[in-house]
Every structure is written in C-alpha cells, then in structure tokens.
C-alpha cells in the first residue's frame, strides 16, 4: 500500500495553511463551518476535509482583494520588485515540487510521469511572467493632432477571479495567477472542488514568497461558491478554465456588469493522419493525444481522422497499443494509465459506452469498466464513427478515440472543422507542402504537425469557436490582465473652447 496523504484539517499542517480558506492573509474556516471531503480516485477513499466557502466568505475574499488593490500594496510596487517576489515564488515551487506533485495526484489520480514535469513547468511559467512584469509597457504614439504628446499606459484591471478545473489544477491556475500578479492585479482563486488542496499549498507558497496579504486569496468550494464569486460586484475580471457549459453561464452573468472574461473551455479536437505519415511515430502521438491523462485533457485528440488507404492498419495499431498500456498506481513512474479523477467522471465516461452501444458503433477495444479498484476505464477505440454520432460531437473527457475514414485533403478539412469547438488539431504527414496547406485551413487555436499535446509558456493557448474566448500564455497574456489608458498631454496649445471632438 502506498503512503497515504498526510495533510488534513486535523493535522499540524492546518496551522501552516492546510485546508482552510485564505482570506486577507488569514487562514480560516468557512463562516458556517461547512466542509467537503477530498477523495483519492485510485484508492477510492476520502482522505481529508476542506472548508466549503459560502456567500459571506466569498464576499470577504472579494473585499480583501479589493482593499489590497485599492491601497496599491502590490500594484504600487516597482514592477521589478513584483518580479523579484515572483522569482522567489518560482524557487519555492521548485523546492516543494515533489509535494505539490503528489498532492495533485492524491486529488485527481493523474500520473506522476506527467505531473512531475508539470510542476517544473509551473516554476518556469512563473519565471516567464515575472520576467515580463518590467516589460509591461504602453507605447509612445505619434499624436494625430498638433501640439500634443500622446502615449498609452498599461494598468492592472483590479480584482481577478481565477476559477479552475480539476484536470491540471496548478498548471491551469498558473496560467491565470502569474500574468495577473505580474500586471499588478489582486486575485481570488476558486479551485475545483475535486482538487482544492494543491491550490491551498500554492497559496501558502505565495505568502512565504512575500506576496502581501490580500493579494492572493483562496475560496474553496463547489458550484455555489463559484457562482457567488462570479456575481460579486467587486470582481473585475473572471479567468475561467472548465467546461463550455459552465464557461458560457459565467460569461452571460459577467456580461450583465461588463466584467472582463477569459474563457478556456472544452474541445473535440481532430488528429488528421495522412497515408504518407510515419505510422509508428503517429500512433505514439495519437495515444499521447487521447489515452494520456486518461483522456482528461481539454486538448485531447478524441477525433482520429485516418486516410482510407491506411485506415484499417492504423486502427489495428492504435487498438493494440491501447491494450498494452499499463494501468496502475499513478505514483508509480511505470504506470501509463491512471484512474479517472472522480466517480462522477467515471459515470460520465461509462454513459458514453452505453451511448456507443445504443448507436451500434463498432468497438475495437475497451468500451467497458475495468474490473479493478479505482475509477479505471480502458483505452477505447470506436471505428467508422458517423459524423453525427454523439461520440463524434461531444467531449467525453476519457480515453475514448472515435475513428473516421477520409479520402483526400478536402474531406479531411471538412470533417476536422465539423465541430462547435476549435481548441486544437494534429496533422500527421511527411509531405511538408500538405502540412502547410492543412495548418492554415484547420480552425483551431493550436495546431501540431507530427506531434500532439505540447504546450509551453512562450506560445499562446486558447480556442476558436466554443472552445474559448481570449488566449492564455505567451507574451501577450499580460494584456488580458491590463486596461489600456490613453494619455493626451497638451504641449502648449491655446486653451480654447473646442467644439470639434471626434467622439
Ligand atoms: P467545470 O466547468 O465543471 O468546472 C470548472 C470550475 O468551475 C470548477 O472550479 C467548478 O467548481 C466551477 N463552476 C462550476 N459551475 C460554476 C458556475 N455556475 N459558476 C462559477 N463556477 C462554476 O469543469 P471541470 O469538470 O472541472 O473540468 C473539465 C472541463 O474543463 C472540460 O470540459 C475541459 O475541456 C475543460 N478544460 C479546458 C481547458 C482549456 O484550456 N481550454 C483546460 C482544461 C480543462
């Protein structure tokens, strides 16, 4: 039996932050004493309790963040000083990398072989945005009228709510938290109810790094906690990652008071495999796209489009490789397939196996629950899936590949773009000209040629269509956490009553 998580409301960690709310620099229980269990999806056991923030707690966190923004304790620092503190935070993330990694695994069952590099990447993301803090320039702009000096300033938006999902708890939080902090905003974080504790640990590191009280606040809880945050009038911007349905609900509420939003939502991304591709390399990439992370990836390449001459061969290869995957303890570096993150997610994926049966789809492998403890489902391959099947159109968030046969580029483009989403796409070909033709025509925020599911902080990430609004990461990401102020300085015109504005 592997070591159990040691943190919990009843342990000494509580004093250092543990699983309570972080509001205005103080760790405290929910106002009404509410709690919710944290669950290990591999052991199928609860292992801790986390405070469940109510509306009053959310309001306190929003006030604390507003107060911290208004007195400029963070935005008023030199950008270089903010950067220095963020660099310290990156060092602390590296110091505690093993703990942050295992904490996330205890929450969502993702593999150590994926989460450990992810924690390293988190420190890198923090350094990247720290480095950008001092380059957050406006521009000196040539005046369009005589007698003026004109320029723009970049200023923080104010209080940012960061609402995150469970599949990559800290990575997706970092994509919001780090640019928000670099630009001088204050933040209220609402992590997923499935993965709250790793976020609290990161918040404790923010404190240790020297980020002033009230600048980073955390309210843990479920949907009601998230709704209270979205509704709160002191929240200026909502940065959200999660399902499309939730993102759209948030955006519609935010629009009523013109709160800014960045939305990273769902996907049903195509991987397009041409007959000239190196199929051995391709099968590895397709597996990384749909079976890695047990398919619980927003950019999962869940629609596998294969050119007719190699369809049968590739389908057999993919099914055979899926069957070889080693399922087991996510903490074991040799494990290739972990459990799904929760019982709810297990039930969702199993329901799609029922849909496939009902639709009469041809299942090459998988398609039923694995007979073992933990929320495991096997890598699953359906072949010749009709384009109007629910398995062609809906995000499953499990290791379920739907295969489609196509002939030629035109049909590939038509099938690939036949979706309401547009998060990512893969192209597998050895023909460089074809790769270029295709990458221009696929409607997706990220396109990978002869690789899949690679992200990094220097390139923006986000979706077309119903996969998202805005982009995270990349040097422009800071802009999503800034207002732009235009300044006109009169350099000696006669002050006269002007009637000729251009508004
Ligand atoms: P979810 O939408 O159920 O929940 C996401 C977060 O929103 C959670 O913190 C949840 O508590 C909160 N929430 C739920 N309802 C809310 C409401 N009405 N108001 C405010 N907050 C609310 O998503 P999930 O199941 O946690 O995550 C899986 C989804 O996330 C998938 O659809 C996946 O594609 C998507 N995702 C997208 C990206 C991306 O970058 N595009 C990355 C990872 C995951």
């Amino acid at each position: 039996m592997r070591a159990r998580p040691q943190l919990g409301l009843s342990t000494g960690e509580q004093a250092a932050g543990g699983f309570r709310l972080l509001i205005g620099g103080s760790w405290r229980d929910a106002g009404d004493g509410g709690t919710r269990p944290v669950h290990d999806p591999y052991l199928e056991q609860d292992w801790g309790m986390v405070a469940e923030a109510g509306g009053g707690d959310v309001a306190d966190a929003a006030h604390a963040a507003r107060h911290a923004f208004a007195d400029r304790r963070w935005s008023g620092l030199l950008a270089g000083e903010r950067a220095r503190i963020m660099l310290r935070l990156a060092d602390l993330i590296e110091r505690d990398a093993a703990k942050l990694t295992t904490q996330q695994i205890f929450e969502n069952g993702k593999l150590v072989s994926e989460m450990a590099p992810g924690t390293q990447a988190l420190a890198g993301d923090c350094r990247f945005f720290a480095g950008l803090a001092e380059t957050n320039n406006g521009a000196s702009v040539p005046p369009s009228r005589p007698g003026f000096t004109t320029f723009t300033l970049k200023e923080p938006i104010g209080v940012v709510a960061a609402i995150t999902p469970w599949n990559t708890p800290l990575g997706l939080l970092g994509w919001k938290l780090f640019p928000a902090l670099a630009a001088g905003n204050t933040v209220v974080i609402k992590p997923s109810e499935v993965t709250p504790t790793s976020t609290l640990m990161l918040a404790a590191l923010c404190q240790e790094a020297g980020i002033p009280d009230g600048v980073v606040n955390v309210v843990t809880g479920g949907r009601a906690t998230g709704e209270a945050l979205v509704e709160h009038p002191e929240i200026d911007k909502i940065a959200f990652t999660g399902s499309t349905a939730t993102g759209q609900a948030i955006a519609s509420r935010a629009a009523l008071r013109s709160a800014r939003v960045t939305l990273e939502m769902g996907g049903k991304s195509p991987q397009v495999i041409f007959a000239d591709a190196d199929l051995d390399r391709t099968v590895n990439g397709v597996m990384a796209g749909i079976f890695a992370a047990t398919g619980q990836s927003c950019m999962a390449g869940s629609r596998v489009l294969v050119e007719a001459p190699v369809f049968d061969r590739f389908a057999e290869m993919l099914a055979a490789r899926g069957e070889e995957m080693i399922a087991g303890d996510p903490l074991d570096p040799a494990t290739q397939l972990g459990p799904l993150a929760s019982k709810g997610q297990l039930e969702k994926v199993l329901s799609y196996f029922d849909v496939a049966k009902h639709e009469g789809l041809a299942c090459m492998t998988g398609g039923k629950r694995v007979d073992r403890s933990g929320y495991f489902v096997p890598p699953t391959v359906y072949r010749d899936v009709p384009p109007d099947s629910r398995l062609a159109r809906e995000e499953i968030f499990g290791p379920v590949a739907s295969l489609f046969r196509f002939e030629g580029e035109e049909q590939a483009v038509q099938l690939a773009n036949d979706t309401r989403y547009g998060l990512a796409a893969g192209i597998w070909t050895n023909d460089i000209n074809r790769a270029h033709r295709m990458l221009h025509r696929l409607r997706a925020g990220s396109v990978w040629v002869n690789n899949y599911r690679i992200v990094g902080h220097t390139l923006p990430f986000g979706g077309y269509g119903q996969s998202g609004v805005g982009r995270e990461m990349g040097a422009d990401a800071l802009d999503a956490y800034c207002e732009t102020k235009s300044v006109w300085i009169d350099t000696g015109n006669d002050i006269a009553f002007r009637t000729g504005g251009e508004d």
Side-chain angles (χ1 to χ4, degrees), residues 415-475:
L415 275 173
N417 289 341
D418 181 18
T419 174
R420 69 185 175 117
Y421 296 112
L423 192 58
I427 302 164
W428 297 87
T429 178
N430 277 334
D431 179 339
I432 183 86
N433 296 326
R434 164 176 281 156
H436 277 270
R437 285 193 299 273
M438 288 294 296
L439 72 87
H440 286 286
R441 296 188 64 190
L442 296 183
R443 303 277 304 159
S446 292
V447 176
W448 295 286
V449 178
N450 292 331
N451 68 88
Y452 200 84
R453 202 165 166 253
I454 306 287
V455 292
H457 48 241
T458 55
L459 273 183
F461 186 81
Y464 286 27
Q466 294 187 25
S467 283
V469 174
R471 294 290 180 273
E472 295 189 308
M473 307 297 274

Side-chain angles (χ1 to χ4, degrees), residues 163-167 172 175 190-193 221-223 226-227 230 240-244 246 249-250 264-267 298 395 397 423 461 467:
I163 302 180
T164 52
W166 45 260
N167 62 329
L172 295 169
W175 291 14
K190 207 300 281 175
S192 166
E193 54 274 42
R223 181 193 180 107
E227 280 173 349
V230 168
F240 168 80
T241 299
S243 63
T244 294
T246 304
I250 287 174
E264 298 285 1
M265 307 191 283
C298 55
E395 182 182 53
F397 232 55
L423 192 58
F461 186 81
S467 283

Side-chain angles (χ1 to χ4, degrees), residues 29 96 114 131 164 212 328 345 435 454:
D29 294 329
D96 286 0
E114 173 156 2
T164 52
Q345 193 58 26
I454 306 287

Side-chain angles (χ1 to χ4, degrees), residues 6 26 30 80 127 147 208 218 252 296 318 332 336 348 356-357 360 410 456 495 501:
Q6 292 303 311
S26 302
R127 292 194 177 104
E208 189 179 342
V218 184
S252 64
Q296 301 164 111
L318 183 63
D332 181 346
Q336 296 174 323
K348 182 177 173 197
K357 266 194 209 119
E410 278 310 314
I495 298 296

Side-chain angles (χ1 to χ4, degrees), residues 106-364:
F106 291 142
E107 293 178 323
N108 71 5
K110 228 166 156 180
L111 302 185
V112 68
S113 53
E114 173 156 2
M115 293 314 266
T119 309
Q120 286 304 325
L122 185 72
D125 297 348
C126 187
R127 292 194 177 104
F128 176 74
F129 285 108
L132 289 178
E134 283 190 295
T135 67
N136 192 22
N137 308 322
S140 172
V141 181
S144 56
R145 290 168 174 243
F148 286 93
T149 294
T150 49
F151 57 90
T152 59
L153 294 173
K154 295 289 178 185
E155 297 185 342
I157 292 175
V159 180
V160 173
I163 302 180
T164 52
W166 45 260
N167 62 329
T168 309
L170 296 186
L172 295 169
L173 171 58
W175 291 14
K176 300 161 181 55
L177 178 65
F178 302 146
L181 290 177
N185 297 276
T186 61
V187 185
V188 181
I189 304 166
K190 207 300 281 175
S192 166
E193 54 274 42
V194 179
T195 53
T197 64
S198 47
T199 294
L200 293 169
M201 288 173 67
L202 184 65
L205 295 185
C206 290
Q207 281 193 309
E208 189 179 342
I211 294 175
D213 289 350
V215 173
V216 175
N217 307 273
V218 184
V219 286
T220 49
R223 181 193 180 107
T225 309
E227 280 173 349
L229 192 56
V230 168
E231 297 290 340
H232 200 279
E234 286 176 302
I235 301 296
D236 299 304
K237 161 153 189 159
I238 300 148
F240 168 80
T241 299
S243 63
T244 294
T246 304
Q248 289 174 339
I250 287 174
S252 64
R253 300 305 301 171
L256 295 177
R257 56 187 174 79
S258 303
R260 282 85 177 112
V261 291
T262 301
L263 306 172
E264 298 285 1
M265 307 191 283
K268 191 77 189 176
S269 298
Q271 297 227 48
V272 186
I273 298 147
F274 287 95
D276 63 40
D278 174 341
L279 293 191
D280 289 323
R281 282 195 75 228
T282 304
V283 78
N284 283 331
V286 171
M287 288 172 69
I290 184 59
F291 297 151
T294 321
Q296 301 164 111
S297 166
C298 55
M299 61 194 106
S302 51
R303 290 187 297 136
V304 182
L305 282 48
V306 191
E307 205 167 19
V310 295
F311 181 91
D312 291 334
R313 192 162 130 232
F314 187 79
E316 295 292 344
M317 285 170 79
L318 183 63
R321 290 290 301 281
E323 283 168 12
E324 287 168 8
M325 287 180 75
I326 303 163
D329 188 337
L331 286 177
D332 181 346
T335 300
Q336 296 174 323
L337 185 80
L340 293 164
S342 66
K343 193 151 186 277
Q345 193 58 26
L346 172 72
E347 282 159 4
K348 182 177 173 197
V349 175
L350 294 180
S351 78
Y352 277 96
F353 294 159
D354 291 340
V355 170
K357 266 194 209 119
H358 181 70
E359 291 186 358
L361 299 185
C363 182
M364 298 187 68

